[in-house]
Amino acid sequence: MIQYIIKRFFMMVLTVLLIATLTFFLMHAIPGSPFDDDRTSNPTIQENLEKYYKLDQPLPVQYANYLKAIVTFDFGPSIKKPNDSVNSLLARGFPISFELGIITILVAVLSGVTLGTLAALRHNGIIDYLAMTFAVIGISIPNFILATLLIQIFAGELKWLPAATWQSPLHMILPTLALATGPMAIIARLTRSSMLEVLTQDYIKMARAKGLKPSRIIIRHALRNAMMPVVTIMGTMLAGILTGTFVIERIFAIPGMGKYFVESINNRDYPVIMGSTVFYSAFLVFMLFLVDIVYGILDPRIKLHKKEGESS
């Protein structure tokens, strides 16, 4: 296990370095400058600004400075918000985006697993049909369209919930529903198909023959093995949810990292773009690593297979 963790750690470092390198060179490959606006149209002003932000140096030197900033995690001040550093923007926006992402994941997993399990236990029944109909609708509608519909219905017409900002638990309901519906539908369909397969296995029949309680059979034996496909896709789903918050945050005017990231792209704010990209890529790669660990805990056969391979 220690060797596996060390190997995965170096893979994570290489992955983050590759993403950071691609981001750096792609940003500098785009024609123009962050200072191409009316306020900095004076060549002297542009020259001074480029010198202040070290953009007048050769590209290899800028890349070396960028790698140093990654190691020290100090990306300097924002170009468009010189009074704020990139670190302060991350500290201000990421907790809100993280909170939205975690709430969304919890809602998606708990609701999806529950729907999928009920659908499998009531196979070809009314609950199964309703759950799978909801899943198809949830997968088919993009989250930004669903967000618009939710705002129009629950905030505009019914006036039950606030339409924007992030101030109270009521403000969290609509963006969480908009972001969690798609992943919840995928998890429900996956859980249903996996549960249907697991429920036909011999060890489930044996547990029933021994007279174990149905709830114990479902939770302790069937559900644990049925969760394996769900855990497998959790890494990519986590990445989709956390990056999907950027769009939802803009729609609901949530002051998270999505706001700063989109603004930095529009304004070509190099430090914010590269700092937030490195931060998010490192975070997502680390979460994928945790998913691998959980997968190994849930399925001991992976460790057994590894030991057999080593002995042979």
Side-chain angles (χ1 to χ4, degrees), residues 38-273:
D38 296 335
R39 293 177 299 175
T40 58
S41 58
N42 189 305
T44 304
I45 296 177
Q46 285 193 13
E47 182 179 347
N48 291 334
L49 287 173
E50 290 178 354
K51 184 176 181 180
Y52 176 76
Y53 287 101
K54 299 180 180 180
L55 297 178
D56 60 331
Q57 299 177 350
L59 199 60
V61 177
Q62 293 186 46
Y63 180 66
N65 293 333
Y66 176 50
L67 294 180
K68 180 181 178 182
I70 294 176
V71 174
T72 59
F73 202 73
D74 182 10
F75 297 95
S78 167
I79 292 178
K80 297 301 179 179
K81 297 181 179 180
N83 294 328
D84 291 322
S85 66
V86 176
N87 289 10
S88 65
L89 294 178
L90 289 173
R92 189 185 311 161
F94 178 73
I96 297 175
S97 298
F98 182 76
E99 184 179 10
L100 174 58
I102 290 299
I103 294 174
T104 299
I105 291 170
L106 291 176
V107 171
V109 172
L110 294 177
S111 302
V113 170
T114 302
L115 276 178
T117 303
L118 290 176
L121 295 177
R122 300 292 185 267
H123 184 47
N124 290 332
I126 184 65
I127 296 179
D128 186 15
Y129 294 137
L130 289 176
M132 290 304 99
T133 301
F134 172 78
V136 171
I137 295 174
I139 294 173
S140 304
I141 302 178
N143 57 22
F144 59 89
I145 295 179
L146 181 61
T148 305
L149 294 175
L150 291 175
I151 292 174
Q152 181 179 355
I153 296 173
F154 293 101
E157 297 179 2
L158 299 177
K159 300 186 184 303
W160 289 353
L161 297 169
T165 69
W166 190 260
Q167 299 176 1
S168 68
L170 288 178
H171 291 83
M172 303 177 183
I173 295 177
L174 292 184
T176 300
L177 287 177
L179 199 58
T181 300
M184 177 173 57
I186 295 174
I187 292 174
R189 288 175 60 87
L190 200 58
T191 302
R192 174 185 176 273
S193 60
S194 183
M195 279 290 291
L196 289 175
E197 181 181 355
V198 169
L199 290 175
T200 61
Q201 298 298 316
D202 292 338
Y203 65 89
I204 297 295
K205 297 177 182 179
M206 181 65 68
R208 288 171 176 168
K210 289 182 178 180
L212 296 179
K213 293 182 180 180
S215 59
R216 183 177 181 182
I217 295 175
I218 297 300
I219 296 174
R220 186 167 182 177
H221 298 284
L223 189 58
R224 175 173 179 174
N225 291 304
M227 284 293 293
M228 295 306 303
V230 177
V231 175
T232 303
I233 67 167
M234 277 302 296
T236 54
M237 185 171 292
L238 177 66
I241 289 175
L242 291 181
T243 53
T245 59
F246 289 176
V247 178
I248 298 300
E249 286 175 10
R250 294 290 291 179
I251 295 176
F252 289 96
I254 298 173
M257 273 308 301
K259 170 186 176 182
Y260 301 120
F261 188 73
V262 174
E263 288 179 352
S264 66
I265 293 177
N266 294 332
N267 298 325
R268 299 193 60 178
D269 194 337
Y270 289 165
V272 177
I273 293 175

